[in-house]
Amino acid sequence: MEIELMVHEEKDLSTESDIKTEAKENDQLTKKQSTTCCWIDRTYFRIEPSFIKFKCFFFFFLGAIGAMFPFFSVFYKQLGFSPNEIGIVSGVRPMVRFFSGPLWGFLADRFRISRVVLIGSTFAWLVCYTSVGFVPPPSKTDINCPLVYELLSNNSVRANDSAQIMHLSPTHSGFYIARVLRLRPDVTPAESLQQDRGWMFDQDDVKRVFITILVLVLVGEFLQAPCEPLADSAIVGELGDEGIDKYGYQRAFGSLSLGLFSMFMGGAIITTRKMTVVCGVEIVDSDYRIVFYTFAGKMACCFITVWFFKFKEQQYQEENTPKPNPLKVFRMFLTVHYGSWLICVLFTGVCNGVIWGFLFWHIENIGGTQLLIGLATTVCHFSEVVMFFLVFIILKFLSPFTFMILGLLGFCVRFSIFATMSNPWLILPTEVLQGFSFAGVWFVYTKQLCASVPSEYLGTLQGLLHGVYWGLGAGSGFLIGGVLVQNYGARVTFWIFAIGSFINLIIFAIAQKVSKRPNMFENYEELKN
């Protein structure tokens, strides 16, 4: 009897202890919720030591991109490249990435060498693109001056002489004047001579510079393509399915750095501007070496950072688990559901290729300066930072499908404004939409698609995702944009893509509504830590 009483007392004490523990936990949870503003979980904004390397990577990597890439089109223009040549150099780079990105991702997953490939590709970024800035520029010539003087003094020469010199070869002195003559009637000869400066240079020398830069770009892009995809796969793998919402927080540091350094570089370049008169035409030149110095410094810091990255491949190698078959990732995109996502990734990449390649070209032609270009890039990427911080909150109220529709609609609105604006400063409020049309859309791509594959396949998936978006998509945008801008002008080009963006929105919406999400890896058991 005494034993029973003791047992009951122990049970009562145990029950009372459990109740107190539960009450204490509830109090702590309530207290935690009370210190959290509404539905914003502060853990998303906490600096976690294990993730600092990822923040540093994005800060250095995208800061290097922001310091250089927004100014590539005007840099090539200053070297005497035509719109078509700019489109080729800019478009071939991502096209190579389309093939090399998935290939490197496949090899990294198959042979579990992600860390080695990541380090090597970062070094390729540092060497190849820094070298582009130190290719000796083409020499100038005054051989075309008589034709330029005649063109400026008598606009009717366009109609009289264009038919006579259109047959000239690209090496003939009058070829670039012929290219000016066949531009649209709404563009004056003086404006045409400013937009296409090939007539100022020795054409053999321009060809040398073009081929040298093209080779550097081709080799560099093949080697450096897996850098960002593998970095993405590393962070997504460490965050896991439950922490994937924090991806945007890591990526936001990159957008912040990209915007800041674009603005700083725009201000720095404008201080180097100098006016020269060539054949009676006032030409403004800038010194872009500071851009390449800054790029090299930040990419060197990025190279140091990636040595601290770790991948789950190390654990898999120690456990002697079977090697994955990354071909499964390619098969999933043969379905209607995932195929429509991939088409959407492709087209949004094309849109960004057109914007990156020719928006700033257009802004400069309607009176914008390098400072305005830097400010526009800053606004653009500040909107990305805000979106990367808030997108996981927005997705608590909107479905990924609804968010994608809004993001695709953002492209329609942006292209429509680009096509109609005459004041270059209107670019600043317009670029706020970049947050939805890029940052938000890219986050949804990452969240939806990475959640559909096991962690061992993330390298292949990210390689394919980046290859299609930044490779085939952006490359096609550069190439198509170059042809359209040269033949029809920037405004018509932007109208074409405004309409195309709306058509893409309709196709994606219909495909998602009529298809179901298949489970391509239903028999796969994820390895536990």
Side-chain angles (χ1 to χ4, degrees):
M1 186 71 177
E2 187 176 348
I3 295 175
E4 290 180 4
L5 288 174
M6 290 177 64
V7 170
H8 283 297
E9 286 177 358
E10 288 179 359
K11 286 183 177 180
D12 291 339
L13 288 172
S14 177
T15 304
E16 184 179 355
S17 176
D18 291 339
I19 293 173
K20 289 181 178 179
T21 301
E22 184 178 354
K24 185 177 180 180
E25 291 175 351
N26 289 334
D27 288 341
Q28 291 176 346
L29 180 60
T30 303
K31 185 177 180 181
K32 179 179 179 181
Q33 291 175 344
S34 66
T35 59
T36 304
C37 178
C38 302
W39 19 260
I40 301 178
D41 188 349
R42 289 185 179 179
T43 59
Y44 288 104
F45 304 101
R46 186 175 60 207
I47 301 295
E48 301 178 58
S50 60
F51 295 157
I52 289 178
K53 57 181 177 288
F54 296 124
K55 295 177 176 66
C56 289
F57 170 82
F58 283 126
F59 184 84
F60 292 132
F61 181 79
L62 292 179
I65 299 296
M68 184 174 63
F69 274 65
F71 308 101
F72 257 145
S73 61
V74 288
F75 171 67
Y76 291 147
K77 174 182 174 183
Q78 185 169 296
L79 293 177
F81 292 5
S82 69
N84 271 345
E85 288 168 336
I86 293 174
I88 291 172
V89 174
S90 302
V92 166
R93 180 187 65 81
M95 294 296 286
V96 172
R97 185 175 185 173
F98 169 64
F99 295 102
S100 60
L103 173 63
W104 283 114
F106 179 93
L107 295 175
D109 282 345
R110 181 62 177 170
F111 300 103
R112 292 168 179 156
I113 53 173
S114 298
R115 186 169 179 270
V116 174
V117 174
L118 176 60
I119 292 173
S121 63
T122 308
F123 184 73
W125 266 108
L126 173 61
V127 173
C128 294
Y129 270 106
T130 302
S131 301
V132 170
F134 297 95
V135 175
S139 58
K140 293 184 178 180
T141 180
D142 58 358
I143 193 173
N144 288 322
C145 285
L147 289 171
V148 171
Y149 288 134
E150 186 178 2
L151 181 64
L152 293 176
S153 62
N154 183 11
N155 287 352
S156 63
V157 72
R158 300 177 62 140
N160 297 333
D161 294 354
S162 61
Q164 299 177 21
I165 62 178
M166 284 296 290
H167 67 279
L168 298 177
S169 68
T171 58
H172 193 279
S173 61
F175 175 78
Y176 280 86
I177 302 301
R179 199 162 67 193
V180 170
L181 294 176
R182 62 193 177 103
L183 289 179
R184 302 176 312 282
D186 60 318
V187 181
T188 66
E191 292 173 339
S192 301
L193 292 168
Q194 287 277 5
Q195 293 179 20
D196 191 343
R197 301 184 183 180
W199 56 271
M200 295 170 47
F201 300 96
D202 177 84
Q203 291 309 302
D204 290 334
D205 222 14
V206 172
K207 187 175 182 180
R208 171 191 61 80
V209 174
F210 175 75
I211 293 175
T212 303
I213 291 179
L214 185 62
V215 170
L216 285 172
V217 168
L218 287 173
V219 174
E221 193 59 33
F222 178 79
L223 297 175
Q224 69 208 22
C227 182
E228 194 175 2
L230 289 178
D232 271 355
S233 68
I235 187 172
V236 170
E238 188 161 337
L239 287 173
D241 292 340
E242 296 180 357
I244 188 63
D245 287 340
K246 296 181 182 179
Y247 168 83
Y249 183 35
Q250 319 305 317
R251 184 63 168 70
F253 282 81
S255 294
L256 175 63
S257 178
L258 200 158
L260 288 176
F261 277 88
S262 297
M263 180 179 65
F264 292 154
M265 287 300 101
I269 293 171
I270 202 171
T271 62
T272 68
R273 288 161 62 97
K274 60 180 181 180
M275 180 79 71
T276 58
V277 179
V278 181
C279 300
V281 181
E282 292 186 344
I283 301 295
V284 177
D285 287 330
S286 301
D287 188 350
Y288 288 93
R289 285 179 296 179
I290 188 174
V291 168
F292 293 94
Y293 288 136
T294 305
F295 172 85
K298 291 190 71 68
M299 195 56 71
C301 294
C302 182
F303 176 70
I304 295 172
T305 303
V306 297
W307 283 86
F308 298 95
F309 276 45
K310 295 181 179 179
F311 291 83
K312 284 189 175 182
E313 63 188 28
Q314 296 166 345
Q315 172 192 340
Y316 298 146
Q317 287 170 345
E318 292 172 359
E319 297 177 358
N320 295 320
T321 57
K323 292 180 180 179
N325 179 15
L327 289 176
K328 292 182 179 179
V329 175
F330 295 94
R331 295 193 193 109
M332 68 183 281
F333 288 107
L334 297 178
T335 63
V336 173
H337 179 85
Y338 288 114
S340 61
W341 277 96
L342 194 64
I343 291 173
C344 199
V345 170
L346 173 63
F347 189 81
T348 50
V350 173
C351 291
N352 269 302
V354 173
I355 292 172
W356 274 66
F358 297 98
L359 174 60
F360 294 144
W361 170 287
H362 178 59
I363 293 300
E364 188 177 56
N365 288 339
I366 63 175
T369 65
Q370 283 93 341
L371 178 60
L372 178 59
I373 291 174
L375 289 173
T377 307
T378 301
V379 172
C380 171
H381 295 293
F382 180 75
S383 69
E384 291 181 13
V385 172
V386 174
M387 182 55 65
F388 275 128
F389 273 113
L390 300 180
V391 63
F392 67 90
I393 299 173
I394 297 174
L395 288 174
K396 291 182 179 180
F397 300 93
L398 298 177
S399 67
F401 171 78
T402 304
F403 190 95
M404 280 294 298
I405 296 300
L406 293 175
L408 297 176
L409 188 61
F411 277 112
C412 302
V413 175
R414 289 177 72 192
F415 278 119
S416 298
I417 296 175
F418 296 157
T420 56
M421 69 179 180
S422 56
N423 184 349
W425 287 92
L426 288 177
I427 190 65
L428 296 181
T430 304
E431 285 304 87
V432 172
L433 293 174
Q434 174 78 355
F436 261 103
S437 58
F438 170 69
V441 169
W442 182 260
F443 179 87
V444 173
Y445 287 154
T446 302
K447 179 179 174 66
Q448 290 295 104
L449 297 178
C450 287
S452 303
V453 303
S455 61
E456 276 203 290
Y457 296 88
L458 287 176
T460 303
L461 176 65
Q462 286 291 342
L464 181 62
L465 185 59
H466 282 258
V468 170
Y469 190 96
W470 297 111
L472 182 62
S476 299
F478 284 126
L479 294 173
I480 296 171
V483 173
L484 292 177
V485 168
Q486 179 148 326
N487 289 281
Y488 303 103
R491 296 188 185 278
V492 174
T493 301
F494 293 145
W495 274 123
I496 291 173
F497 279 93
I499 297 171
S501 298
F502 184 74
I503 295 174
N504 177 59
L505 185 156
I506 298 300
I507 294 175
F508 177 78
I510 293 174
Q512 289 297 300
K513 288 298 183 181
V514 302
S515 64
K516 293 183 179 180
R517 178 178 178 177
N519 188 352
M520 306 297 295
F521 300 90
E522 57 184 351
N523 297 323
Y524 183 91
E525 291 187 10
E526 183 65 52
L527 293 173
K528 307 287 185 182
N529 288 330

